[in-house]
Amino acid sequence: IKMPGVEQSEFQGRIPTHEVGRNADYFPADSGILIRAGSLMGSNGHLHSNGRRTTARLDVGFKLLPRGVKPKYLISNVAPGTAELVDVKGNEANQRGEAYITLTDPMMLVAFEPHMHAAGVRQCLDAIYGPMVQTLNCAGYNHSWVKAYTYDEDSMPLLPRGTILRVTGYFDTTPANRNVSEPRNWSGFGYRSIDQMLINSSSAIMLTDGQFAEEVEKRRAKLRQGVGEGLGCPTCGLS
């Protein structure tokens, strides 16, 4: 994660994850991902044996900003999730798992992207500020057609320091879930589609306190005009 106070030249980041059927990434006009000249880029392709000789091909492309254009904000990958708590029983619907992280710096959430495996059917992301719980997004999940959901620029959740993010995933290992190859089997964390994951692999902008206050004021002005939504910051909807 890009942290405030870290120079751009020091940034070592991760480009968004792409999966089967996934749509493109869209970032705010004044933001982008920094890829340093001379960087060593690696990929992690999740492939496993299918029992027959198969040829796989992966093409990767990047659309670069014009030379000399320096974005105001850098996009980071934020992936709250769990490996230890993924414990999915066989032949059972409505199984639920949760994971939590606490934000050490203010953040603006750019996109919501559930990441699960074959048994996953739904994922939700909540922001917890003390006694207040706000749902930022909920979406159905199909491992054969993974999607990222980009917020409108006037509705990107503004999350203050100390916010607890809760990821909730729902699993179905019954025959009703056609992605599950063997409904009887227990499964836990792993990289194969028949294993399980519970991650929210989303894009975000990490903000300084000053930048966060600036974005809150901009959001308040928009909301007074009836534009956007007050997702995130508990005070964004105040006049």
Side-chain angles (χ1 to χ4, degrees), residues 10-229:
E10 299 176 281
F11 178 67
Q12 293 182 344
R14 174 183 174 187
I15 61 176
T17 301
H18 281 263
E19 303 172 67
V20 175
R22 189 185 184 280
N23 50 317
D25 293 287
Y26 297 93
F27 303 136
D30 57 353
S31 66
I33 296 175
L34 178 66
I35 302 176
R36 296 175 55 191
S39 296
L40 177 64
M41 301 187 66
S43 64
N44 184 353
H46 292 189
L47 301 174
H48 63 85
S49 173
N50 61 7
R52 58 186 183 272
R53 184 178 294 276
T54 303
T55 299
R57 170 175 170 171
L58 177 65
D59 294 319
V60 179
F62 297 94
K63 182 178 180 180
L64 304 180
L65 291 171
R67 184 179 295 275
V69 174
K70 183 178 180 181
K72 179 179 179 181
Y73 294 127
L74 292 177
I75 299 292
S76 301
N77 180 267
V78 178
T82 181
E84 294 81 3
L85 300 180
V86 180
D87 182 4
V88 180
K89 301 179 180 66
N91 203 28
E92 185 174 323
N94 298 316
Q95 299 184 63
R96 173 173 169 165
E98 294 182 351
Y100 299 81
I101 63 167
T102 301
L103 298 183
T104 57
D105 289 283
M107 186 179 86
M108 179 160 62
L109 188 63
V110 174
F112 166 82
E113 183 179 346
H115 180 84
M116 303 170 76
H117 281 182
V121 293
R122 186 167 180 81
Q123 189 182 108
C124 298
L125 181 65
D126 299 315
I128 303 173
Y129 330 90
M132 178 180 172
V133 180
Q134 184 182 50
T135 297
L136 303 179
N137 217 319
C138 268
Y141 182 84
N142 184 334
H143 194 54
S144 296
W145 201 252
V146 178
K147 293 297 178 187
Y149 302 87
T150 303
Y151 291 94
D152 183 90
E153 289 194 34
D154 295 321
S155 300
M156 292 180 177
L158 292 166
L159 305 174
R161 185 195 319 274
T163 299
I164 298 172
L165 290 181
R166 176 175 64 195
V167 180
T168 306
Y170 299 86
F171 303 86
D172 182 355
T173 55
T174 69
N177 183 352
R178 298 170 63 182
N179 286 330
V180 175
S181 59
E182 178 46 80
R184 297 174 299 175
N185 290 348
W186 171 92
S187 53
F189 177 83
Y191 292 99
R192 304 172 300 172
S193 292
I194 59 174
D195 300 320
Q196 305 304 332
M197 285 192 178
L198 175 54
I199 300 171
N200 187 262
S201 183
S202 295
S203 299
I205 294 172
M206 309 307 294
L207 302 169
T208 64
D209 291 333
Q211 290 170 335
F212 182 75
E214 177 185 341
E215 293 296 335
V216 168
E217 288 306 312
K218 287 166 57 178
R219 182 66 53 84
R220 285 177 176 167
K222 290 281 188 178
L223 290 171
R224 286 194 288 268
Q225 299 169 14
V227 178
E229 297 183 46

